[in-house]
Structures are given as structure tokens and as C-alpha cells.
């Protein structure tokens, strides 16, 4: 078993060795590509993609400080223990740099993880000949070569930033620069490459903490900023690394901002990489309509689950006056093709301004802020309901119901 810190150590040594020769002109960064291990037709691939965005605001003139964000990126990109949520089979990895002045998001690295499924590795090993092993061209040697090339590409990409660090650190950091860089980038991830996971390596200084006196105010301002910025993470899992948000209000501001931007904050850590959720091993997409007390409202659902049945990066999206995406956590338990899904009892509660109190106007919240969702999957149909003991759903002509019911159909070949 390869430990993440051991892999990180090797890559950091490679980074230090290659820094002096890294190409980094004043005009911009060179894009490094290591795509030889990207999946070809018929090859197993990860259902997920990882996008790392390195905020130049975290770059310092001191080498010791820069080693911290370097290690974060290295561990996210190269650690081999996939059970800890690191890169999966041939998972697509993209690395971008957010300019310190907020002007743009610059591509730095594109590649695919050299991690392969165990069955494929054993099959390749069984086909090795004595000549292959004698010449050092056996499957193990080829796999190590691919891993080394991938790691070297990451090292060369990061060395460009380290070489420019003193010049970058000398520039002022404008308020909201990081968000402007995200805005200027447009679409942040191609949905055809897998379910998006973002690792934002940033101090994330986008709000004045003094202006966040309590949780409700902080969350309200987070939602407002999301609407104003119009950033769309595309229903993604998001991790903040290198951010010191401090008190509860600042953290809830961040949660609300990401939720309003179609993302869910899955982890945060100031001094390293947060603990990552495992990759999804199953994915189903359903679409249709939900009976919203007399109204047929469009409904789409992404059901992605890890090997242990935990829902991972699963979402429910509906359109009433506008399109709203709500993350779905809980369990999906299957026997053959039949599955049951049970939410964790917090479903639409994520939209509350104060999670510890009842909302004043449930009618303005998606699904009325209902906490519970359950459904069954049988064949191509997902049948379920959204409900809450404290909620009665009202419609036109005095219609009242205790739950919202739906029957939606599985959709193939459409990324969502």
C-alpha cells in the first residue's frame, strides 16, 4: 500500500530538481499535457473528473510557504490510495491557475491518472513474457513509467508557478479577484469528462468577516453573492484547501455561496488537503416531471454512489421560476437491478438561512425545505416522494398534500 505522503515526497523532490529548468515566460504559463494514459474506446474510466484551481493569491515570496500549497496539489494529483478519494482509474485531471488580479483562469496541466483497475493490472502481468521482464518492458515497468511521466508533468507545471512566486507575491490581491477569475472562465468543467470535483487551493478571501455577524446573515449574503456572480460549478463536489475561514458564520457563508453556485462544500482545511470522499462506482441519471401540487415541474436526478452505497455527488434539479440544484446525501442499496434510495434527513434543509431554526417562508425554498426524500429504482423507472412531517404542500384551488411524488425515467448517454 502506497502512502500519500510517500508519493508526495517523491514528487516534491522531482519538483525541486526540475524547478530551475521550468519554462515560465513573462507572457504566461506553458500548458503541460500527460494524456497518454487517458481512456481509449472500450477501456474502463472513472465516472469522475478532478479540477484543481490554484489561486495565485496563495502564492508567497517565501519558499517554505509555497511548499504548503505545492504539497496540497501534489497529494490531490498523485496519491495512490483511491479508497481515500484520490484519483481513480484513468481519471481526468485538470489544473488551472487563477490570476492574482482576477483577469483569467489559465490552464497549466491536463492529463489522466495512470491508476488502473486491479483486474486489468493482473491480466497484463499474466501476459508478460520472460523477454519482456528481462528487457524491462513488462507491464509493471510500463505502469511505473506512466506514473513517473504523470508525476513529472505535475512537477513541471507547478515549478512554473514556484519560479514566478516572488513576482506574483509582489502584486496586490484585489478584493474578489478569485471570483472574477472564475467568472471570466465561463464553463469550469466539461460534463462529458466525468462528474466534476473541484479542489480550490485558495485563501478564499471573498467576504469581509466583520460583515457576517451571525449565521443567518452570512448564509443570506452567500446566496446573494452566488446569484450576483452567476458562477456555475455544474453540480460539483468542492473542497477548499488553504482557507482559514475561522468562525461558523464565515464557513456558512462559503457553504451558501457554493450551494447557490451549484456546488456542495464537501471539505475544508487550512493547512493541507481535506479528507476526500471516495469516487462513485455507479451512476444513473433520471429525468421527467414531479407533481408539484397540480403543476408538472421538470425534474432531473443524478444518482451516483460509492462502492459502500453512500451517495456521492448526487443531485436533484428542478425548474419552477428558475433552475435550482439540490445535493442529495444518503444511501443507495441495491439487489440486482432493484435499488432503494433514502436521503439523510437533511435534503432541502440545506437552503435554510439558519439550519438550527425553522424558516419563516418555506414557500420560497426549493421543495419547501422538506428534509426527506425516498425512492425506488425498478428497471428504467425511479418512483419516489419528497416529504417532511412539518410541511404541507399547497397549490392552486386550495389543494393540499403531505408529499410531492414523481415517476421519472432513466436517461442514457446524457451527461448531467
Amino acid at each position: 500500500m502506497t502512502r500519500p505522503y510517500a508519493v508526495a515526497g517523491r514528487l516534491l523532490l522531482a519538483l525541486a530538481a526540475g524547478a530551475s529548468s521550468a519554462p515560465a515566460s513573462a507572457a504566461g504559463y506553458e500548458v503541460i499535457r500527460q494524456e497518454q494514459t487517458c481512456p481509449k474506446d472500450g477501456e474502463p474510466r472513472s465516472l469522475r473528473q478532478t479540477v484543481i484551481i490554484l489561486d495565485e493569491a496563495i502564492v508567497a515570496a517565501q519558499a517554505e510557504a509555497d511548499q504548503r500549497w505545492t504539497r496540497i496539489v501534489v497529494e490531490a494529483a498523485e496519491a495512490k490510495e483511491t479508497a481515500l478519494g484520490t484519483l481513480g482509474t484513468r481519471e481526468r485531471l485538470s489544473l488551472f491557475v487563477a490570476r492574482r488580479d482576477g483577469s483569467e483562469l489559465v490552464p497549466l496541466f491536463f492529463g489522466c491518472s495512470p491508476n488502473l483497475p486491479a483486474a486489468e493490472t493482473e491480466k497484463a502481468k499474466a501476459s508478460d513474457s520472460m523477454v519482456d521482464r528481462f528487457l524491462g518492458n513488462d507491464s509493471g515497468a510500463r505502469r511505473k513509467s506512466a506514473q513517473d511521466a504523470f508525476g513529472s508533468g505535475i512537477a513541471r507545471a507547478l515549478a512554473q508557478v514556484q519560479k514566478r512566486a516572488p513576482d506574483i507575491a509582489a502584486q496586490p490581491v484585489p478584493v474578489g479577484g478569485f471570483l472574477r477569475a472564475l467568472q471570466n472562465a465561463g464553463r469550469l468543467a466539461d460534463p462529458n469528462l466525468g462528474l466534476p470535483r473541484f479542489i480550490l487551493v485558495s485563501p478564499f478571501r471573498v467576504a469581509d468577516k466583520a460583515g457576517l455577524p451571525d449565521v443567518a446573515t452570512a448564509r443570506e449574503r452567500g446566496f446573494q453573492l452566488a446569484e450576483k456572480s452567476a458562477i456555475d460549478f455544474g453540480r460539483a463536489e468542492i473542497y477548499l484547501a488553504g482557507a482559514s475561514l475561522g468562525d461558523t458564520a464565515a464557513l456558512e457563508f462559503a457553504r451558501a455561496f457554493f450551494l447557490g453556485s451549484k456546488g456542495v462544500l464537501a471539505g475544508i482545511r487550512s493547512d493541507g488537503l481535506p479528507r476526500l470522499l471516495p469516487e462513485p462506482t455507479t451512476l444513473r441519471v433520471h429525468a421527467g416531471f414531479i407533481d408539484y401540487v397540480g403543476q408538472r415541474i421538470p425534474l432531473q436526478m443524478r444518482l451516483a454512489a460509492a462502492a459502500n452505497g453512500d451517495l456521492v455527488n448526487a443531485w436533484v434539479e428542478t425548474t419552477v421560476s428558475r433552475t435550482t440544484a439540490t445535493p442529495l446525501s444518503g444511501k443507495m442499496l441495491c439487489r440486482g437491478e432493484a435499488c432503494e434510495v433514502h436521503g439523510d434527513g437533511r435534503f432541502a434543509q440545506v437552503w435554510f438561512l439558519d439550519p438550527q431554526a425553522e424558516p419563516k417562508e418555506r414557500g420560497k425554498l426549493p421543495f419547501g425545505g422538506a428534509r426527506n426524500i425516498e425512492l425506488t429504482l425498478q428497471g428504467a423507472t425511479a418512483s419516489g416522494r419528497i416529504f417532511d412531517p412539518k410541511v404541507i404542500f399547497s397549490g392552486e384551488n386550495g389543494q393540499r398534500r403531505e408529499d410531492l411524488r414523481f415517476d421519472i425515467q432513466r436517461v442514457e448517454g446524457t451527461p448531467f
Side-chain angles (χ1 to χ4, degrees), residues 52-123:
I52 303 174
I53 299 179
L54 175 62
D55 182 1
E56 281 188 342
I58 205 170
V59 177
Q62 301 80 24
E64 181 180 350
D66 289 328
Q67 285 296 313
R68 286 195 288 271
W69 59 256
T70 300
R71 184 175 293 277
I72 291 171
V73 176
V74 166
E75 290 186 357
E78 189 60 8
K80 294 296 192 301
E81 288 193 60
T82 55
L84 298 180
T86 51
L87 297 182
T89 298
R90 298 187 178 94
E91 182 174 347
R92 168 70 65 166
L93 173 69
S94 305
L95 172 61
F96 294 87
V97 174
R99 292 289 198 183
R100 200 175 179 98
D101 62 4
S103 60
E104 58 183 334
L105 204 61
V106 182
L108 194 60
F109 176 89
F110 294 115
C112 292
S113 163
N115 292 344
L116 302 177
E120 185 174 337
T121 299
E122 290 302 314
K123 183 178 179 181

Side-chain angles (χ1 to χ4, degrees), residues 108 127 180 183 229 339 354:
L108 194 60
S127 65
R180 284 199 297 277
Q183 286 176 298
S229 68
C339 302
D354 185 350

